[in-house]
Amino acid sequence: MKEFKVIEVKRSILEDNDADAEKLRQELKEEGTFLLNLMSSPGAGKTTMLKRTISMLADEMKIGVMEADIDSDVDAQAITEAGARSIQLHTGGMCHLDASMTRQGLLEFGAGDFDLVVLENVGNLVCPAEFDTGACRNVMILSVPEGDDKPLKYPLMFSVCDLVLINKIDVLPYFDFDMDKCRQYIYRRNPKAKIIPISAKDGEGFMEWTQWLREEVAAWTNS
Amino acid sequence: MKEFKVIEVKRSILEDNDADAEKLRQELKEEGTFLLNLMSSPGAGKTTMLKRTISMLADEMKIGVMEADIDSDVDAQAITEAGARSIQLHTGGMCHLDASMTRQGLLEFGAGDFDLVVLENVGNLVCPAEFDTGACRNVMILSVPEGDDKPLKYPLMFSVCDLVLINKIDVLPYFDFDMDKCRQYIYRRNPKAKIIPISAKDGEGFMEWTQWLREEVAAWTNS
């Protein structure tokens, strides 16, 4: 038996997603729940990164993960096995989540039970960047094999993120990836972005990343 | 000075993209031009693959490349430097191309001058799969670092492709990627898919890939 729910989320008929997203953030503030929107290309390592993050923070805070996927349950299964509560959101072919779809997931999940809810968005560097989900912070993962030029090619994604995790630094020797150039390209899109190189495989950079997350959650839920 | 044109393509108001795509294929048939739609995640290696392909086939056929990008010119520049004619299609934030947008590019490019035109679609495994561009064949690149489970997570993309190139096999030793499992997952989505493992970096698999392309172009333009 599956240990996670699967929900078909429907696109809303609301015209004003931005206002709806702002409303959702207010609701989350009142509930004392921090919602993190996690975005990346397919295969950049979102699920592996989350599994390690959960193992490091699970003793300190209640964490839930909402897995948005077109129609598979692969990731929710993996997160459940890692020991966190998880819910699978099926987008029915949609390439992104908007605030209304996110709210449907949160309602089913019971967001108030959690200090931190991570929305693992659909693997896509284009569409998810265009829709405010109502999350408190946006984080994206860029992985080394994708190349250092991605901030030039997917500008909006890098503009809307508060933090960029550069993952798979364990394979830097095998790829032509210039970390300094990548940082410059990211800053060109978003001078305020925080950048943390990590390896979800071996844990490098996770002290800094989890400390950032810990502080963000505390600032949101205590204020 | 840039040696390639940049065109802003606009989404059509046509309701029936499928019919428009079919019409475009007929026009290409009459002109004796083979249009290949190339899709992948961001950073899977489309441009590197194309540069090597052009170097192997440029003496045999006239090749043009249409680079679809949200707003950068990075790829058109690279292709022009590789010695092929190139045009940059800016999609104005759109996450895919439809048949009408493709036709706008072909008209500006002068498709009749080429035996083979490659449409390098926006890096995205979701939306481009939903729109028939009017291409004669669909090819996608899955790269080893993305993981062998991608056919489970992006089912439509694998269903609509005639050929899947599995790229970056030179880094197989550094990733947990099961080639047999990946083939099984692809066949589950698309039993008729042809699969060719390649390394765009060192050329492995390119004899088989270029032979496939050569035969497809010949069959289309001679019949």
Side-chain angles (χ1 to χ4, degrees):
Chain A
M1 206 192 100
K2 285 176 185 171
E3 290 166 49
F4 53 85
K5 262 195 202 172
V6 178
I7 298 179
E8 311 289 329
V9 287
K10 304 269 183 271
R11 194 175 187 172
S12 89
I13 48 159
L14 282 180
E15 289 286 312
D16 193 348
N17 182 63
D18 286 347
D20 195 31
E22 207 45 64
K23 187 161 164 277
L24 181 53
R25 257 187 298 276
Q26 280 306 319
E27 294 162 14
L28 288 163
K29 189 86 185 169
E30 284 156 24
E31 284 174 351
T33 301
F34 182 86
L35 175 64
L36 183 80
N37 178 27
L38 180 63
M39 300 180 281
S40 82
S41 292
K46 292 189 293 302
T47 310
T48 309
M49 188 283 278
L50 280 178
K51 283 162 66 179
R52 184 178 286 274
T53 304
I54 290 164
S55 73
M56 291 175 72
L57 295 177
D59 291 343
E60 304 169 39
M61 55 181 86
K62 283 179 262 177
I63 305 174
V65 179
M66 302 199 296
E67 294 289 345
D69 250 313
I70 295 168
D71 78 349
S72 89
D73 303 338
V74 180
D75 292 337
Q77 191 66 49
I79 292 293
T80 305
E81 284 163 12
R85 269 183 60 197
S86 174
I87 192 172
Q88 180 79 47
L89 309 183
H90 280 176
T91 64
M94 284 288 288
C95 48
H96 67 275
L97 289 182
D98 59 20
S100 163
M101 295 161 89
T102 305
R103 183 185 278 108
Q104 291 167 51
L106 287 166
L107 278 174
E108 282 284 343
F109 205 14
D113 297 348
F114 300 99
D115 304 304
L116 165 65
V117 174
V118 180
L119 170 63
E120 188 179 329
N121 215 312
V122 180
N124 182 335
L125 288 191
V126 187
C127 321
E130 294 168 17
F131 295 85
D132 188 341
T133 58
C136 313
R137 290 288 178 273
N138 292 321
V139 171
M140 74 161 291
I141 302 180
L142 171 67
S143 63
V144 165
E146 293 171 69
D148 51 36
D149 63 346
K150 291 301 157 293
L152 300 179
K153 302 185 61 181
Y154 302 91
L156 187 62
M157 175 58 76
F158 289 84
S159 306
V160 302
C161 280
D162 302 287
L163 169 64
V164 179
L165 296 170
I166 302 182
N167 191 24
K168 306 193 189 180
I169 56 169
D170 51 291
V171 294
L172 269 170
Y174 314 114
F175 290 90
D176 182 24
F177 185 99
D178 186 327
M179 187 65 81
D180 290 335
K181 217 184 254 182
C182 188
R183 284 178 185 272
Q184 285 168 29
Y185 294 154
I186 294 170
Y187 289 138
R188 196 185 294 179
R189 297 307 179 192
N190 185 356
K192 288 193 256 175
K194 187 169 169 67
I195 302 171
I196 306 178
I198 62 166
S199 166
K201 198 176 172 187
D202 64 26
E204 209 175 328
F206 271 67
M207 292 300 283
E208 188 179 355
W209 148 242
T210 52
Q211 187 54 28
W212 179 89
L213 187 54
R214 194 178 278 121
E215 287 169 12
E216 292 287 336
V217 173
W220 182 263
T221 55
N222 296 336
S223 63
Chain B
M1 208 192 97
K2 283 177 184 170
E3 291 167 47
F4 52 86
K5 263 194 201 170
V6 178
I7 299 179
E8 311 289 329
V9 287
K10 304 266 183 274
R11 193 176 188 172
S12 89
I13 49 160
L14 282 179
E15 289 286 311
D16 193 348
N17 182 63
D18 286 347
D20 195 30
E22 205 47 61
K23 188 161 162 279
L24 181 55
R25 258 187 296 277
Q26 280 306 317
E27 293 161 14
L28 289 163
K29 190 85 186 170
E30 284 156 24
E31 284 173 349
T33 302
F34 182 87
L35 175 65
L36 184 80
N37 178 26
L38 180 63
M39 300 179 282
S40 82
S41 292
K46 292 190 291 302
T47 310
T48 309
M49 188 284 279
L50 279 179
K51 283 163 65 180
R52 185 177 285 276
T53 304
I54 289 164
S55 73
M56 291 175 72
L57 294 178
D59 291 343
E60 303 169 38
M61 55 180 89
K62 282 179 264 177
I63 305 174
V65 179
M66 302 198 298
E67 295 288 345
D69 250 313
I70 295 167
D71 78 351
S72 89
D73 304 336
V74 181
D75 293 338
Q77 191 66 50
I79 292 293
T80 304
E81 285 163 12
R85 272 183 58 199
S86 175
I87 193 172
Q88 181 79 47
L89 309 183
H90 281 177
T91 64
M94 284 286 291
C95 49
H96 67 275
L97 289 183
D98 60 20
S100 162
M101 295 162 88
T102 305
R103 181 186 279 107
Q104 291 167 52
L106 288 167
L107 278 174
E108 282 284 343
F109 205 14
D113 297 348
F114 301 99
D115 303 305
L116 166 64
V117 173
V118 180
L119 171 63
E120 189 178 329
N121 215 313
V122 180
N124 182 334
L125 288 190
V126 186
C127 322
E130 294 168 18
F131 294 85
D132 188 340
T133 58
C136 312
R137 290 287 179 273
N138 291 322
V139 170
M140 73 161 291
I141 302 180
L142 171 68
S143 63
V144 164
E146 293 172 68
D148 51 36
D149 63 345
K150 291 301 158 290
L152 300 178
K153 301 186 63 183
Y154 302 91
L156 187 62
M157 177 56 77
F158 289 84
S159 305
V160 302
C161 281
D162 302 288
L163 169 64
V164 179
L165 296 170
I166 302 182
N167 191 23
K168 308 193 188 178
I169 56 170
D170 50 292
V171 295
L172 269 171
Y174 314 113
F175 289 90
D176 183 24
F177 185 98
D178 186 326
M179 187 65 79
D180 290 337
K181 218 185 253 181
C182 188
R183 284 178 183 272
Q184 285 168 28
Y185 293 155
I186 294 170
Y187 289 139
R188 197 186 293 180
R189 297 304 180 193
N190 184 355
K192 286 193 255 174
K194 186 169 172 66
I195 302 170
I196 307 178
I198 61 167
S199 165
K201 197 174 172 188
D202 65 26
E204 209 176 328
F206 271 67
M207 292 299 285
E208 188 179 354
W209 149 240
T210 52
Q211 187 54 29
W212 179 88
L213 187 53
R214 195 177 277 123
E215 287 169 11
E216 292 288 335
V217 173
W220 183 263
T221 55
N222 296 334
S223 62

